[in-house]
């Protein structure tokens, strides 16, 4: 039976698979014409939004055109900073056409821009690592005395970060940060950026990526969390500051309490993900970033009994919500190809995993970034695409 309002999903398979029960009432909006999500059996309808060719206003215009094809305003879901900027900056034009819940625009800009986030954290007393906004090569002595080594380099905004020369110098490994172990390495990394580049130099909290934890929620108009869970990274690619490859949910009351406090203090409305790193000696959580959008973690939450996107949909469409319960931890999330690459190129050379210990770590109940027994289309589309690419490379050789 069809529900009253549809859900417009601008995301990937991880978002789509949280809406399996609404197959006929979803509109998947892909931002890449080759997106394998198009082959999912859970799509009600599919639209293309080529955001690489559009500015914020044009993105808003396209979203309005999509909504106008539907009988009534749909609920809107988004999983990308570029989209978040466009939606927030044109919210007044979009609100008559979509059901959505956003915090005030200043909070979105403050959280998404890492340089502005430093000021936000200071104003609100948030526990963050020491930070310094990079002002040029003459600033090195101040960085050395205030931040120390090792330290990390972050862009102000991650949009197009993976296309920078610094990332290409790492064989294009998708690292979200650059680690500088000493002054010489810091100078080398900074040499890849122009004088107008906005960069943040941050204290490195000791420990590998398995010490990165996260809190996830959707908060209502009164900044009350309606559904939530907590999780931990197991591995990333690359192993320092990389994209998630293996994730699990955990129970951590300290992290949950910190998440609730931040939601209340900042007046968060809508989706939120808080990334923290726990100091190995003190146990203190340091906040790394806040994301005011939906993320791939939501699929893992769904697999463990807390479906944040669906709870958001029910709230936005005026339906009754189930009382939030304690999430399970039995199912992990795996991006197998990237996890294998990270094991081969990062974890095994560093002596952190043997082949057996890596294989043993995978012996858990899992959901996958691409593969799914009840939705095999995207997996076969991905395999076909990779086979074509391999044949093309062999042909060129």
């Amino acid at each position: 039976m069809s529900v009253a309002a549809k859900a417009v999903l601008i995301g990937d398979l991880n978002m789509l698979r949280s809406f399996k029960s609404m197959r006929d009432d979803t509109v998947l909006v892909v931002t890449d014409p080759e997106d394998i999500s198009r082959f999912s059996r859970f799509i009600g309808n599919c639209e293309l939004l080529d955001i690489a060719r559009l500015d914020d206003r044009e993105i808003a215009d396209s979203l309005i055109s999509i909504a106008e094809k539907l009988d009534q305003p749909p609920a809107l879901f988004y999983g990308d900073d570029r989209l978040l900027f466009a939606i927030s900056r044109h919210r007044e034009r979009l609100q008559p056409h979509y059901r959505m819940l956003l915090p005030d625009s200043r909070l979105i800009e403050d959280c998404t821009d890492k340089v502005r986030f430093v000021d936000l954290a200071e104003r609100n007393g948030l526990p963050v690592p020491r930070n310094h906004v990079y002002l040029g090569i003459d600033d090195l002595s101040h960085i050395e005395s205030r931040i120390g080594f090792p330290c990390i380099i972050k862009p102000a905004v991650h949009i197009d970060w993976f296309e920078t020369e610094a990332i290409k110098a790492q064989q294009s490994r998708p690292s979200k940060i650059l680690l500088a172990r000493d002054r010489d390495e810091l100078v080398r990394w900074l040499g890849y950026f122009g004088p107008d580049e906005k960069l943040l130099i941050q204290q490195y909290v000791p420990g590998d990526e398995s010490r990165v934890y996260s809190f996830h929620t959707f908060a209502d108009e009164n900044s009350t969390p309606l559904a939530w869970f907590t999780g931990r990274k197991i591995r990333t690619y690359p192993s320092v500051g990389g994209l998630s490859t293996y994730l699990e949910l955990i129970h951590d009351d300290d992290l949950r309490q910190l998440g609730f406090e931040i939601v209340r203090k900042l007046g968060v409305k809508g989706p939120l993900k808080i990334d923290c790193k726990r100091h190995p000696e003190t146990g203190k959580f340091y906040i790394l970033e806040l994301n005011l959008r939906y993320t791939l973690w939501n699929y893992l939450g769904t697999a463990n009994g807390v479906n944040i996107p669906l709870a958001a949909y029910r709230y936005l469409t005026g339906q009754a919500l189930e009382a939030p319960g304690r999430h399970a931890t039995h199912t992990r999330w795996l991006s197998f190809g990237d996890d294998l690459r990270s094991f081969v190129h990062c974890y095994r050379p560093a002596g952190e995993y043997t082949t057996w210990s890596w294989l043993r770590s995978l012996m858990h109940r899992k959901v996958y970034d691409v593969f799914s027994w009840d939705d095999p289309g995207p997996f076969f589309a991905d395999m076909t695409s990779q086979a074509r690419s391999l044949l093309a490379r062999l042909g060129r050789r």
Side-chain angles (χ1 to χ4, degrees), residues 183-283:
R183 185 185 179 105
D184 289 342
E185 194 168 22
L186 177 61
V187 171
R188 181 168 67 86
W189 285 131
L190 293 175
Y192 286 101
F193 300 96
D196 297 328
E197 190 82 31
K198 288 176 66 178
L199 298 172
L200 188 69
I201 313 298
Q202 187 176 84
Q203 170 196 3
Y204 176 71
V205 180
D208 62 18
E209 298 304 292
S210 67
R211 303 200 67 83
V212 176
Y213 296 75
S214 55
F215 170 81
H216 307 253
T217 192
F218 179 88
D220 68 11
E221 188 70 40
N222 299 313
S223 298
T224 300
L226 301 180
W228 64 85
F229 59 81
T230 52
R232 180 183 74 93
K233 293 186 179 184
I234 300 174
R235 287 188 292 271
T236 65
Y237 178 63
S239 59
V240 176
L243 301 179
S244 300
T245 66
Y246 201 26
L247 307 172
E248 68 175 347
L249 295 196
I250 60 165
H251 294 130
D252 192 303
D253 288 338
D254 291 340
L255 180 57
R256 178 184 59 80
Q257 290 173 9
L258 177 62
F260 274 53
E261 179 185 349
I262 290 173
V263 170
R264 176 189 56 79
K265 184 176 288 188
L266 300 185
V268 173
K269 303 173 185 178
L272 170 69
K273 170 179 174 257
I274 305 172
D275 275 340
C276 305
K277 194 169 185 182
R278 177 172 253 157
H279 197 286
E281 296 175 1
T282 66

Side-chain angles (χ1 to χ4, degrees), residues 22 57 68 141 163 396:
M22 289 178 52
R57 173 170 289 278
E68 287 176 338
S141 295
E163 307 305 317
R396 287 194 295 269

Side-chain angles (χ1 to χ4, degrees), residues 7-13 15-16 26-33 35 37-38 43-51 54 59 62-67 69-70 74-80 83 87 98:
V8 171
L9 317 176
I10 319 174
D12 60 6
L13 283 170
M15 181 184 289
L16 180 63
T26 58
V27 178
L28 178 67
V29 180
V30 297
T31 58
D32 179 352
D35 193 325
S37 303
R38 298 174 298 123
I43 295 176
N45 191 18
C46 188
E47 301 271 359
L48 173 63
L49 179 62
D50 190 356
I51 62 174
L54 304 176
I59 290 173
S62 298
L63 291 176
I64 291 171
S65 296
I66 291 170
K69 298 176 185 177
L70 306 176
L76 182 60
F77 298 84
Y78 38 88
D80 176 271
L83 289 165
I87 291 166
Y98 282 99

Side-chain angles (χ1 to χ4, degrees), residues 212-377:
V212 176
Y213 296 75
S214 55
F215 170 81
H216 307 253
T217 192
F218 179 88
D220 68 11
E221 188 70 40
N222 299 313
S223 298
T224 300
L226 301 180
W228 64 85
F229 59 81
T230 52
R232 180 183 74 93
K233 293 186 179 184
I234 300 174
R235 287 188 292 271
T236 65
Y237 178 63
S239 59
V240 176
L243 301 179
S244 300
T245 66
Y246 201 26
L247 307 172
E248 68 175 347
L249 295 196
I250 60 165
H251 294 130
D252 192 303
D253 288 338
D254 291 340
L255 180 57
R256 178 184 59 80
Q257 290 173 9
L258 177 62
F260 274 53
E261 179 185 349
I262 290 173
V263 170
R264 176 189 56 79
K265 184 176 288 188
L266 300 185
V268 173
K269 303 173 185 178
L272 170 69
K273 170 179 174 257
I274 305 172
D275 275 340
C276 305
K277 194 169 185 182
R278 177 172 253 157
H279 197 286
E281 296 175 1
T282 66
K284 178 180 178 179
F285 281 116
Y286 288 89
I287 298 172
L288 303 179
E289 63 180 8
L290 274 61
N291 290 310
L292 296 165
R293 53 178 172 77
Y294 300 92
T295 72
L296 62 82
W297 281 84
N298 293 150
Y299 181 32
L300 176 58
T302 297
N304 283 288
V306 179
N307 190 332
I308 287 178
L310 192 57
Y313 172 82
R314 287 172 176 161
Y315 176 78
L316 294 171
T317 56
Q319 300 181 52
L321 274 71
E322 298 178 0
R326 186 176 173 86
H327 61 76
T329 60
H330 50 62
T331 300
R332 293 179 173 181
W333 178 94
L334 176 68
S335 176
F336 180 78
D338 284 337
D339 199 59
L340 175 60
R341 289 184 191 94
S342 203
F343 166 66
V344 170
H345 297 295
C346 304
Y347 289 98
R348 185 172 64 182
E352 297 180 46
Y353 281 89
T354 65
T355 300
W356 170 240
S357 65
W358 176 71
L359 290 172
R360 187 172 57 202
S361 75
L362 299 179
M363 295 178 185
H364 289 264
R365 181 176 176 179
K366 296 181 291 296
V367 291
Y368 298 87
D369 186 31
V370 175
F371 178 76
S372 176
W373 288 110
D374 62 355
D375 189 27

